[in-house]
Amino acid sequence: QVQLVESGGGLVQVGGSLRLSCAVSGPTPGATAWFRQSPGKEREFVSSIRWFDGNMRYGDAVKGRFTISRDRAKKVVYLQMNTLKPEDTADYYCAATSRAWNSGSNYYSDHRQYDYWGQGTQVTVSS
């Protein structure tokens, strides 16, 4: 059973940076992703990383500003968030699946494909 624990959220000013962490326990997942959700909005794909080769994907809203990475020894996935905007304000969730799809698969950005979820961490970007 995979368990995920997020940390690193908080309050930051526009243009600032935060780094989220997702500690993974249990079997190493095939892929881990970050999603976010704010009140009244649907869950949005942020980024994903495939564990065996580090293949990464990003949502259009965060490309060029966010970077996902993983530490295989520590079994932690990081989300470095730079140049934060008010619209980045949301609860951020770490998700994992035992599966690993082809690089071009749309499954990575589909929250329904993930079996394990963390409790979420709140990010607030103030202007």
Side-chain angles (χ1 to χ4, degrees):
Q1 184 83 355
V2 174
Q3 292 185 315
L4 308 171
V5 178
E6 303 102 329
S7 61
L11 175 65
V12 64
Q13 290 187 331
V14 170
S17 298
L18 278 177
R19 188 177 79 161
L20 305 183
S21 299
C22 174
V24 180
S25 59
T28 300
T32 302
W34 289 95
F35 290 85
R36 67 186 184 185
Q37 190 167 21
S38 51
K41 293 188 176 181
E42 294 186 355
R43 191 160 295 192
E44 179 186 18
F45 171 72
V46 176
S47 184
S48 65
I49 189 164
R50 196 163 60 187
W51 275 86
F52 82 90
D53 65 353
N55 181 270
M56 298 169 283
R57 299 191 72 173
Y58 295 93
D60 289 340
V62 307
K63 281 180 182 176
R65 300 188 297 123
F66 291 11
T67 303
I68 194 169
S69 62
R70 82 222 184 292
D71 185 319
R72 296 177 72 169
K74 295 181 179 179
K75 291 180 72 174
V76 178
V77 174
Y78 301 101
L79 184 69
Q80 178 66 43
M81 307 186 296
N82 298 329
T83 319
L84 283 161
K85 305 176 181 180
E87 51 264 43
D88 294 318
T89 295
D91 292 324
Y92 283 71
Y93 297 90
C94 180
T97 174
S98 59
R99 294 163 289 182
W101 304 286
N102 293 333
S103 298
S105 175
N106 290 327
Y107 286 162
Y108 288 107
S109 59
D110 184 351
H111 65 89
R112 297 168 298 179
Q113 303 300 326
Y114 291 84
D115 306 305
Y116 308 99
W117 292 83
Q119 81 286 355
T121 186
Q122 189 173 51
V123 171
T124 303
V125 184
S126 67
S127 55

